[in-house]
Amino acid sequence: MFANWKSSAVSSVLRYGATLLLLSEAAMALPAELNGLQPLGAGDLRWFGFKLYDATLYTRQGQPFDWNQPFALSLRYARDIPSARIVDASVEEMQRYGMPAERKNSWRALMQNAFPDVKQGDEIIGAYQAGSVRFWHNGRLTAAVEDPLFGRLFFRIWLDPASRAPALRQQLLRSPG
């Protein structure tokens, strides 16, 4: 019994240390204009066991998530993914949350500019503040969107209670479930 407790305690310490390392590495990746944002939570997205990306949610001083406060979401890709696949998946998910049909084509074009083909290790960061969204690819600004509805629908992909990735959402928000 003692051995199981000791093994469990060591495992917990290692997981905690790995989480801190992941959060501290991710914190160094934010563009300078996002100073003041700190990691809140992190996790990865897997599809049929294959890791697609690591995600980190940043909030002011790492405080609990609030739509009325600035935040950023970083996705560091674990594999090569073409732009079209990222855009198509984003459009499909945004439609689940009520994307207006008349905005679909313009938002698709916007995301095609914002999300280039990604290679393993590439990072896309999306930042939301006062309804405005900015995207960076490997530290280079790729798009700015002054549309609060776009921002809400886009970030709901990860942050909405109905997200298709509920475990990742819990990790990002550091919520018990």
Side-chain angles (χ1 to χ4, degrees):
M1 174 139 168
F2 177 72
N4 286 342
W5 173 84
K6 186 177 180 182
S7 174
S8 177
V10 169
S11 177
S12 293
V13 168
L14 290 175
R15 276 196 311 268
Y16 180 72
T19 299
L20 288 178
L21 180 61
L22 176 66
L23 292 176
S24 66
E25 286 178 0
M28 297 185 301
L30 287 180
E33 52 265 51
L34 299 179
N35 283 342
L37 297 183
Q38 296 175 0
L40 171 63
D44 64 37
L45 181 69
R46 293 178 181 270
W47 188 69
F48 290 108
F50 293 101
K51 184 174 174 179
L52 298 180
Y53 54 74
D54 291 309
T56 304
L57 179 64
Y58 298 84
T59 60
R60 275 202 179 140
Q61 289 89 39
Q63 294 297 311
F65 174 75
D66 179 349
W67 281 105
N68 297 312
Q69 296 296 320
F71 66 88
L73 180 69
S74 163
L75 304 179
R76 184 170 301 277
Y77 288 84
R79 57 188 57 250
D80 299 358
I81 303 176
S83 170
R85 185 168 291 159
I86 297 170
V87 171
D88 289 346
S90 298
V91 167
E92 180 182 326
E93 289 301 302
M94 291 170 76
Q95 286 177 309
R96 286 183 58 230
Y97 295 115
M99 173 193 284
E102 66 274 7
R103 294 191 184 174
K104 179 179 175 181
N105 291 335
S106 64
W107 286 2
R108 177 181 293 280
L110 183 148
M111 289 187 281
Q112 287 168 333
N113 290 328
F115 311 141
D117 295 338
V118 294
K119 304 287 183 204
Q120 181 178 357
D122 281 2
E123 180 180 40
I124 293 179
I125 296 173
Y128 182 88
Q129 182 173 6
S132 173
V133 180
R134 291 170 292 164
F135 293 105
W136 290 264
H137 172 250
N138 293 336
R140 183 181 64 83
L141 185 66
T142 57
V145 185
E146 301 297 328
D147 185 337
L149 182 59
F150 174 90
R152 287 274 181 154
L153 294 178
F154 179 78
F155 287 107
R156 284 180 70 184
I157 296 169
W158 297 271
L159 303 173
D160 192 86
S163 170
R164 290 190 205 235
L168 176 58
R169 177 184 181 270
Q170 288 176 3
Q171 292 171 326
L172 292 172
L173 298 175
R174 294 181 56 178
S175 64

